[in-house]
Amino acid sequence: MLGARAWLGRVLLLPRAGAGLAASRRCPGVWPRTWPHRSPSRGSSSRDKDRSATVSSSVPMPAGGKGSHPSSTPQRVPNRLIHEKSPYLLQHAYNPVDWYPWGQEAFDKARKENKPIFLSVGYSTCHWCHMMEEESFQNEEIGRLLSEDFVSVKVDREERPDVDKVYMTFVQATSSGGGWPMNVWLTPNLQPFVGGTYFPPEDGLTRVGFRTVLLRIREQWKQNKNTLLENSQRVTTALLARSEISVGDRQLPPSAATVNNRCFQQLDEGYDEEYGGFAEAPKFPTPVILSFLFSYWLSHRLTQDGSRAQQMALHTLKMMANGGIRDHVGQGFHRYSTDRQWHVPHFEKMLYDQAQLAVAYSQAFQVTPDPSPENRHLTLAAPPKAFLLSGDEFYSDVAKGILQYVARSLSHRSGGFYSAEDADSPPERGQRPKEGAYYVWTVKEVQQLLPEPVLGATEPLTSGQLLMKHYGLTEAGNISPSQDPKGELQGQNVLTVRYSLELTAARFGLDVEAVRTLLNSGLEKLFQARKHRPKPHLDSKMLAAWNGLMVSGYAVTGAVLGQDRLINYATNGAKFLKRHMFDVASGRLMRTCYTGPGGTVEHSNPPCWGFLEDYAFVVRGLLDLYEASQESAWLEWALRLQDTQDKLFWDSQGGGYFCSEAELGAGLPLRLKDDQDGAEPSANSVSAHNLLRLHGFTGHKDWMDKCVCLLTAFSERMRRVPVALPEMVRALSAQQQTLKQIVICGDRQAKDTKALVQCVHSVYIPNKVLILADGDPSSFLSRQLPFLSTLRRLEDQATAYVCENQACSVPITDPCELRKLLHP
C-alpha cells in the first residue's frame, strides 16, 4: 500500500489489461473494517475509520490546488432533498449542493448532460458523515463543483441497503476496507470507477482533500473518458464473477461437524482472553458469534471445546456489560468500543444492537447454572415463573435494562421502533455538538449530585465518592488523549465497572446489598440530571427489518424470563408492522415509515418496498412471537410473508436469496446475495433458520428443500471462511441434526399449560419449534400437522410431547420431568 503522501506525488495507475479490479491506494492509519479471518463487517459505523481518506480508482488523476474554507454564513436555500422523508437526507437539505435523491431523474440528467454521478451514502447518526457534511458539503466552492461538474446523489444506506451493498462491494474490493460516509463516482450507466470513504475538504501532509479529488476526476472525465468507461466495465465484470454465489455442481451442503469445528477454531484463535471479544480495537458487539458459541457449547458440552465456547461467550458478555460500551446510567449499548477494554465507546446507539444483545443476554441466562435444589421439587401448584431456570441474574438484568431503554427512548407510541440515537450532542444548548457529550461526567458534577454521607463506612465517604470508586471516575478524566483526538473529552469520564460489588463493599466495610442500593440510587440521580442535557439526535425512521429484530428481542426475552409485559411489547411491534408496513393488496412489506407531525406515521411516495432482510427478520420475529404468545395468527402471517419472500428474491437457478427484487434494483450493476454475518446477521442465514422452523411448524417439504439448496449455494464460503457466516453455520448444524417439535396439549390460558410452556422457555434449545395444540381439529396448526390430532391430554391435564423423526415421547404432565427430557 502506498501512503497518502506518495499517492499525492504520483498519479493512480490504470489496471493492467485483464487485471480485473481497480488499482488501490490507502492512507496510513485507516483501520480496515474487519474481524479476524473475515472480510469487513456489515453495518459498522464509520467512526472507527481514521479521518484520512480511503481512495480506490481505475484512472490516473492530475493534481489539484488548494481552495477556500467553508463559508462562515450557512446557506439556507433548500435543495430538492427538502421533499424527502429520510432524516439523513433532510440533514443535507440546506447544503449548497444540487443534490438528487437516488432515482431516474438523476440518472436521466447524467446521461443527457454526459456527466459522472457523484454518489454519497451515509446515515443520520454517522459521526464522520456529519463531519464531511459540515466541512465539505456546506462549502460553497465544493458545492459549485459538485453541482456544475457532477450529478450529485445522496442516499440513506438504511433506506436503500441494495445501493449501499453494491457500491460498498466495489469500495471494499478495490481498497482494504470500507465505511461511511461512502463516496463513489459512477458513469451515467451507474458503473463505479472511483470510490472512497471520508475525505477532509483540503489536502494535508498525509491526506488527499475532497476538492482535489473532485478536480482530478473532472479532468479525467474530460480527457480520458473512454479509457475510464472501459476500465469501469472491466471492474464491474470482475465484481460480477467475484460475487457469484451458486449451487453449481454441488449436490449437498458440507459436513456440519467439520464446518462447526473450523468456525470454533477460527474464533478461538482471535479471542481476547483478558477482556473478551474477538479483536484488539475497535471492538464490536458480535451477537451472531455469541449465539454460535452457545450453540456449539450445547452440542459439545461434555468436551473441553464446548466448555471453552461457553466461557468465551459468557466472559465477553460480562466484560461488555461492565464496560463503558454499556450505558450504565440510561441502559442500552453503544455501537462499539474504541479500545480493547470495552471502555470508551463510539456513543451512537443502534436499534439492531439492542435487539440482538437482549437475546444474547437472555441466552446467557438460560445457559448459566442449573436450578437451585428447591426448584427441582416444584409441583403444578407453584406459579409458572417458579419454573424459570435459576440462571445468573446478572445477565437477565442486563437484558431487561436493554429493553427498558428501547421502550423509553426508541419506541413509537403505536408500537414501532426507531432506528438509532446519535453519538453527538451539544454539551449545552446553543453549543456545537460534540461526541459523547450526553453520556460523560466530570468528578465535580457527580460530587454535586451525590453529596450525601454514607453511614457505616470505615472512612468518611459520600455517595458520589462511592460511585466514582466503583465506576472508575478520576479528577483528570478516565479517557486517554489517544482516544480523544479532538480534545472534546478532556476531564470527562465514561462509567465503567472497575470492581465487583463485593470488592467495593469490602473496601469501605459495607454490606454488599447496601452498596448495591447506594449505587442504584446514585445512577438514578445521574439519570434524572442527564434529562436536562440536550439530547442526541433521534433517527425516528422505522425500518421493517430492524423492527423484526426488535420483535424477536422482546419476544425471546419475555418468554425466557416469563414476563408477559415484554411479550406485549413484541405483540404491539408486530401489530405496528402489519398496520403500517404491510400492503395487504400485494402482500408485500414496506421498508420504511417515518414519524410525522404529532406522532403520526408517514410513508414516502412512492413507498420504499422491502428488501430480503425485511422479510427474513420480520418472519423470524413472528416465529419467535408465536412461540412466546402461542397466538397462531402470527405464525400464519409468517408463512404468507415467506411465500412472498420466495417469489421476490429466490434464485431458482443458483439457490439462495438475492438481497433485492430484480425490478427494484434495475440499473444497478450487481444483484447480490449477502454472504456475511456482521453487525446484523445475513438475511440468507436468518432465512435458512426460518425455513427449518417453518418446516417444523407445517411439515411442508418445500421449506426443507429450499433450506438445503440455500446452504449448498453457500458451501464454498462456509468451508473456506466459516467465521464469516457463524449464523449460517448454526443453521447448517440444525439442518443436519434432528429438529425437536415440542407439543403442548392444553388451553392457552390455563395455569398448567403455562407451566409447561415456561419450562420449555427456561431451557436453551435452539433447534426446536414449540407448538400449542388446543384440541381444535380445524385450527391452523392442526390443518398443517395432522398428527397433532392423535396427541391427547393425560387425565385432562396439560400434556407435553417431544417429537423427533416422526416419533413422539411418552406424554408428560410434570414440568420437572419435561425439563429432564429436554436438558438431560
Side-chain angles (χ1 to χ4, degrees):
M1 280 188 292
L2 289 177
R5 187 174 301 177
W7 188 91
L8 287 169
R10 297 175 53 181
V11 295
L12 288 175
L13 301 175
L14 282 168
R16 299 184 307 276
L21 294 180
S24 169
R25 299 293 180 264
R26 285 198 59 132
C27 301
V30 181
W31 293 330
R33 187 172 309 282
T34 57
W35 298 107
H37 316 291
R38 65 164 155 180
S39 58
S41 170
R42 299 174 66 245
S44 303
S45 164
S46 63
R47 183 64 171 94
D48 67 327
K49 304 293 288 183
D50 185 274
R51 290 186 59 182
S52 302
T54 301
V55 184
S56 56
S57 173
S58 57
V59 295
M61 296 191 290
K66 288 280 185 182
S68 64
H69 295 288
S71 171
S72 59
T73 304
Q75 172 61 266
R76 300 305 298 169
V77 177
N79 55 53
R80 61 177 56 76
L81 296 186
I82 197 68
H83 303 297
E84 299 299 309
K85 298 290 185 184
S86 160
Y88 176 63
L89 268 57
L90 289 171
Q91 287 172 352
H92 293 76
Y94 287 91
N95 296 161
V97 177
D98 189 19
W99 287 118
Y100 284 79
W102 181 267
Q104 198 60 45
E105 183 183 7
F107 311 151
D108 290 344
K109 178 180 172 68
R111 289 161 189 157
K112 179 180 179 181
E113 299 181 8
N114 195 22
K115 290 181 179 178
I117 294 171
F118 169 65
L119 172 66
S120 184
V121 181
Y123 57 104
S124 79
T125 59
C126 163
H127 176 82
W128 289 110
C129 301
H130 299 333
M131 292 297 296
M132 193 160 179
E133 190 269 341
E134 178 182 324
E135 296 171 343
S136 292
F137 299 143
Q138 290 183 23
N139 182 299
E140 295 283 350
E141 184 175 354
I142 287 177
R144 280 195 297 273
L145 280 171
L146 287 171
S147 301
E148 293 173 4
D149 299 309
F150 304 88
V151 176
S152 297
V153 175
K154 201 33 117 162
V155 168
D156 183 336
R157 67 172 296 265
E158 294 167 358
E159 279 190 331
R160 290 301 302 261
D162 57 333
V163 176
D164 180 61
K165 284 184 176 74
V166 165
Y167 296 110
M168 187 62 75
T169 298
F170 167 77
V171 171
Q172 291 176 340
T174 54
S175 68
S176 55
W180 297 275
M182 175 177 67
N183 298 293
V184 186
W185 285 262
L186 318 176
T187 70
N189 290 327
L190 307 184
Q191 294 183 341
F193 60 90
V194 176
T197 54
Y198 166 84
F199 294 91
E202 303 293 345
D203 298 343
L205 290 176
T206 60
R207 303 179 302 181
V208 60
F210 186 54
R211 181 177 176 277
T212 296
V213 173
L214 291 174
L215 291 171
R216 292 180 177 186
I217 293 174
R218 180 181 70 177
E219 191 68 19
Q220 283 299 307
W221 188 258
K222 291 178 180 178
Q223 295 183 358
N224 297 309
K225 184 172 65 176
N226 289 337
T227 302
L228 188 153
L229 292 173
E230 290 171 7
N231 282 280
S232 177
Q233 181 60 52
R234 187 180 296 121
V235 169
T236 301
T237 301
L239 288 176
L240 279 167
R242 176 173 171 166
S243 61
E244 183 180 3
I245 295 173
S246 176
V247 169
D249 57 1
R250 291 179 288 269
Q251 301 297 315
L252 291 171
S255 161
T258 301
V259 173
N260 247 291
N261 289 333
R262 180 164 172 74
C263 186
F264 171 73
Q265 292 303 325
Q266 289 180 341
L267 288 171
D268 194 28
E269 290 168 9
Y271 177 65
D272 185 338
E273 296 282 355
E274 187 172 2
Y275 296 104
F278 302 90
E280 287 292 318
K283 191 172 276 187
F284 289 79
T286 53
V288 290
I289 289 177
L290 300 173
S291 185
F292 167 81
L293 290 172
F294 285 137
S295 291
Y296 189 86
W297 160 78
L298 186 65
S299 58
H300 297 78
R301 62 183 182 275
L302 300 180
T303 70
Q304 185 175 352
D305 281 352
S307 298
R308 167 79 170 161
Q310 183 193 41
Q311 179 269 332
M312 288 163 64
L314 293 176
H315 182 59
T316 297
L317 287 167
K318 184 154 284 190
M319 296 305 291
M320 285 170 49
N322 285 335
I325 191 173
R326 181 186 176 197
D327 179 2
H328 294 275
V329 173
Q331 299 302 310
F333 280 79
H334 300 294
R335 178 73 276 269
Y336 64 86
S337 173
T338 63
D339 54 67
R340 178 187 170 205
Q341 296 82 9
W342 304 105
H343 176 199
V344 180
H346 172 46
F347 291 90
E348 68 181 322
K349 290 182 175 180
M350 308 300 295
L351 182 68
Y352 57 76
D353 281 326
Q354 316 310 320
Q356 295 176 89
L357 287 171
V359 172
Y361 280 97
S362 298
Q363 291 172 337
F365 180 75
Q366 287 177 307
V367 306
T368 42
D370 289 331
S372 57
E374 60 269 22
N375 278 357
R376 297 178 185 173
H377 305 290
L378 292 171
T379 67
L380 287 178
K385 288 184 183 179
F387 293 101
L388 277 172
L389 176 65
S390 294
D392 188 337
E393 290 188 0
F394 174 89
Y395 300 106
S396 62
D397 286 345
V398 176
K400 287 186 286 187
I402 292 170
L403 299 183
Q404 180 187 36
Y405 159 71
V406 173
R408 182 183 65 245
S409 299
L410 295 180
S411 293
H412 187 274
R413 67 186 185 186
S414 298
F417 303 104
Y418 303 134
S419 293
E421 284 191 306
D422 207 335
D424 301 2
S425 61
E428 302 286 345
R429 282 173 175 78
Q431 295 183 356
R432 184 179 180 275
K434 295 182 179 181
E435 180 166 9
Y438 187 70
Y439 299 101
V440 294
W441 301 88
T442 64
V443 163
K444 182 179 179 181
E445 287 174 310
V446 175
Q447 288 174 332
Q448 290 176 342
L449 288 167
L450 304 173
E452 307 87 358
V454 176
L455 302 178
T458 54
E459 61 185 76
L461 182 72
T462 65
S463 296
Q465 290 170 329
L466 177 70
L467 186 141
M468 290 187 292
K469 182 70 174 179
H470 188 73
Y471 288 102
L473 279 68
T474 67
E475 190 75 44
N478 63 10
I479 301 170
S480 166
S482 64
Q483 295 171 285
D484 181 28
K486 291 185 290 183
E488 294 180 340
L489 300 174
Q490 291 180 1
Q492 300 285 350
N493 293 272
V494 174
L495 270 64
T496 180
V497 175
R498 292 300 176 91
Y499 307 99
S500 66
L501 286 172
E502 290 76 12
L503 280 175
T504 300
R507 167 69 177 77
F508 297 107
L510 297 169
D511 179 73
V512 171
E513 287 307 312
V515 170
R516 189 194 309 274
T517 299
L518 286 166
L519 291 174
N520 288 339
S521 175
L523 293 173
E524 176 60 24
K525 289 180 180 178
L526 295 189
F527 176 72
Q528 295 301 326
R530 200 170 76 176
K531 286 182 176 179
H532 299 288
R533 296 177 175 179
K535 289 202 69 177
H537 158 72
L538 172 69
D539 187 333
S540 60
K541 173 176 73 268
M542 289 169 276
L543 302 172
W546 297 1
N547 272 251
L549 289 175
M550 203 65 242
V551 169
S552 284
Y554 273 108
V556 171
T557 305
V560 170
L561 303 184
Q563 295 197 3
D564 291 340
R565 179 179 60 86
L566 299 180
I567 298 173
N568 288 339
Y569 275 105
T571 300
N572 290 336
K575 288 179 178 177
F576 180 91
L577 282 163
K578 197 164 190 179
R579 184 183 309 117
H580 295 290
M581 307 190 79
F582 177 64
D583 181 62
V584 177
S586 65
R588 296 164 74 192
L589 286 171
M590 299 176 198
R591 169 70 175 175
T592 59
C593 64
Y594 308 87
T595 302
T600 57
V601 177
E602 297 183 340
H603 296 87
S604 57
N605 186 22
C608 182
W609 296 109
F611 297 91
L612 174 63
E613 64 184 39
D614 296 298
Y615 288 85
F617 295 176
V618 169
V619 169
R620 170 186 272 188
L622 295 174
L623 297 181
D624 289 336
L625 179 55
Y626 166 72
E627 292 196 353
S629 67
Q630 289 82 54
E631 293 184 17
S632 63
W634 301 123
L635 182 57
E636 294 183 57
W637 189 31
L639 264 68
R640 291 201 297 273
L641 289 178
Q642 186 65 51
D643 282 334
T644 303
Q645 174 183 319
D646 292 347
K647 292 172 185 174
L648 295 176
F649 305 103
W650 180 255
D651 180 0
S652 58
Q653 294 182 331
Y657 294 97
F658 290 109
C659 294
S660 59
E661 294 182 45
E663 291 184 9
L664 186 62
L668 286 172
L670 304 172
R671 192 181 182 205
L672 299 174
K673 298 174 187 175
D674 198 4
D675 64 348
Q676 181 162 322
D677 297 321
E680 303 162 62
S682 157
N684 270 289
S685 298
V686 173
S687 293
H689 285 280
N690 291 345
L691 291 167
L692 285 173
R693 295 173 75 182
L694 288 168
H695 175 258
F697 280 121
T698 66
H700 295 178
K701 186 175 180 294
D702 181 56
W703 302 128
M704 180 61 77
D705 291 343
K706 271 195 166 60
C707 179
V708 172
C709 185
L710 185 158
L711 295 170
T712 304
F714 284 84
S715 291
E716 183 59 29
R717 179 74 160 158
M718 285 193 284
R719 281 196 189 99
R720 187 166 49 88
V721 199
V723 75
L725 283 165
E727 187 71 7
M728 189 173 288
V729 173
R730 283 207 318 120
L732 177 68
S733 299
Q735 186 270 322
Q736 293 183 13
Q737 296 169 2
T738 303
L739 180 132
K740 287 183 170 66
Q741 294 170 303
I742 304 172
V743 183
I744 309 296
C745 299
D747 297 325
R748 186 163 71 94
Q749 299 299 333
K751 181 185 294 185
D752 55 355
T753 301
K754 290 183 177 181
L756 291 173
V757 167
Q758 188 59 61
C759 174
V760 175
H761 288 311
S762 74
V763 184
Y764 177 67
I765 321 170
N767 193 20
K768 64 100 173 60
V769 292
L770 174 60
I771 297 168
L772 178 70
D774 59 7
D776 180 1
S778 65
S779 69
F780 174 73
L781 276 166
S782 294
R783 286 182 277 117
Q784 301 292 322
L785 298 170
F787 82 90
L788 293 181
S789 63
T790 67
L791 304 181
R792 298 283 185 265
R793 302 186 198 187
L794 196 62
E795 298 178 357
D796 205 31
Q797 298 180 71
T799 306
Y801 297 85
V802 180
C803 305
E804 300 179 74
N805 292 324
Q806 299 180 327
C808 295
S809 69
V810 296
I812 301 171
T813 58
D814 181 356
C816 297
E817 292 301 315
L818 176 59
R819 179 176 172 75
K820 289 178 184 178
L821 181 62
L822 296 175
H823 191 58

